[in-house]
Amino acid sequence: MNNWWSELYDDQLAEVLLDSSRPEDVAATVRFLVEQLGLAPGARVFDQCAGTGRLSIPLAQWGADIVAVEQAVAYVEQARRRADEASVTARFIAGDAFEVVPDPPCDAAINWWTSFGYLPDDAGNARMLRRAFEALVPGGQFALDYPNVPNVYANWRPHQIDRVGDIVMLRESTLDLAAGLLHKHWTFVSPRGRTERHTTLKLYPPDRLAALLASVGFTDVRLLGGIDAQPIALDSPRCIAIARRP
């Protein structure tokens, strides 16, 4: 598949975004997932779009049986090395999250850090949700972490600059309100040179996100505003959907 994300997710982006999470934030996220998904040690968990394993490996350390998919081969190799270093068993698959369904099915599934909504149409994005649904045993639960779109509109930021180490990352954002799309132009500047990327995110307000989850078969959809498990509100930066396969 020819897509923008296969170019965006490289070593530079991993260094600036994927590997910069504070350990205490990751630990809090693991606690949230264990509680909200009703996990017990030994539970089989599918990490859809796992990146470099920054959630998969801590979940495996907690006691989950992890199977994860990630499209970036370099990220998969890095996640496997990290799992070996942490002495945990986790299966990382290099593949397309629009297609991969683990076998046997899992007790829970996660899709974290805005790894959903990369296509401009509902049918395309629903394919990824359908793979998460098919990954679960009956009664299994799915957690989807996504921006809270009303908060994005209310606190619109057309420019954002981040610096990690010797890398400066500039994000320039534009909205296509008619199509419900967020376009970003990314510029990375470091001693190694300058690279530019373009991305597109389909913007689903909370009610539309819940409806899309229901359209692929999920029930009992709950919308939370963050890992504090509070109900979603206008000032919530995130929209975390918890849904169940009946």
Side-chain angles (χ1 to χ4, degrees):
M1 178 186 290
N2 184 18
N3 54 59
W4 57 256
W5 52 91
S6 61
E7 292 189 348
L8 177 70
Y9 290 103
D10 59 10
D11 291 342
Q12 279 194 126
L13 185 129
E15 185 174 342
V16 176
L17 292 182
L18 302 188
D19 297 332
S20 61
S21 301
R22 298 186 306 168
E24 57 268 33
D25 293 337
V26 174
T29 301
V30 169
R31 289 193 297 270
F32 168 84
L33 291 171
V34 168
E35 180 178 339
Q36 295 298 322
L37 299 177
L39 301 180
R44 184 170 167 84
V45 178
F46 178 46
D47 189 351
Q48 190 181 55
C49 308
T52 57
R54 60 177 171 164
L55 262 186
S56 290
I57 293 170
L59 277 167
Q61 290 173 315
W62 171 83
D65 177 13
I66 294 291
V67 56
V69 63
E70 166 56 44
Q71 59 87 28
V73 174
Y75 288 7
V76 171
E77 293 171 348
Q78 188 175 152
R80 289 169 178 167
R81 289 195 301 270
R82 290 179 173 181
D84 288 342
E85 291 166 2
S87 299
V88 296
T89 300
R91 181 185 174 207
F92 290 95
I93 301 166
D96 185 349
F98 288 98
E99 303 295 339
V100 172
V101 178
D103 184 25
C106 299
D107 303 297
I110 63 172
N111 182 304
W112 218 251
W113 286 302
T114 316
S115 297
F116 163 79
Y118 288 1
L119 294 175
D121 61 287
D122 292 353
N125 290 318
R127 283 174 51 217
M128 186 175 287
L129 300 182
R130 192 168 293 110
R131 299 295 87 80
F133 182 87
E134 294 165 351
L136 294 170
V137 299
Q141 296 207 82
F142 175 51
L144 175 66
D145 171 45
Y146 185 76
N148 180 19
V149 171
N151 183 265
V152 172
Y153 292 153
N155 298 280
W156 176 244
R157 298 176 64 184
H159 303 94
Q160 184 173 348
I161 297 176
D162 297 283
R163 179 189 294 271
V164 174
D166 62 3
I167 301 174
V168 175
M169 179 179 68
L170 168 65
R171 284 176 277 187
E172 301 170 278
S173 301
T174 58
L175 284 171
D176 181 345
L177 293 175
L181 297 175
L182 170 61
H183 299 289
K184 288 192 178 186
H185 186 81
W186 304 63
T187 303
F188 298 87
V189 180
S190 75
R192 297 181 291 280
R194 175 190 180 104
T195 58
E196 299 186 34
R197 300 284 187 261
H198 183 82
T199 66
T200 299
L201 183 72
K202 181 71 173 176
L203 294 174
Y204 292 103
D207 61 328
R208 286 196 60 208
L209 185 63
L212 197 63
L213 285 159
S215 75
V216 303
F218 283 109
T219 60
D220 303 328
V221 180
R222 295 182 289 123
L223 300 176
L224 304 175
I227 60 172
D228 58 2
Q230 294 299 306
I232 194 165
L234 181 59
D235 62 354
S236 304
R238 307 300 296 174
C239 175
I240 299 177
I242 309 292
R244 184 176 66 88
R245 174 173 182 166

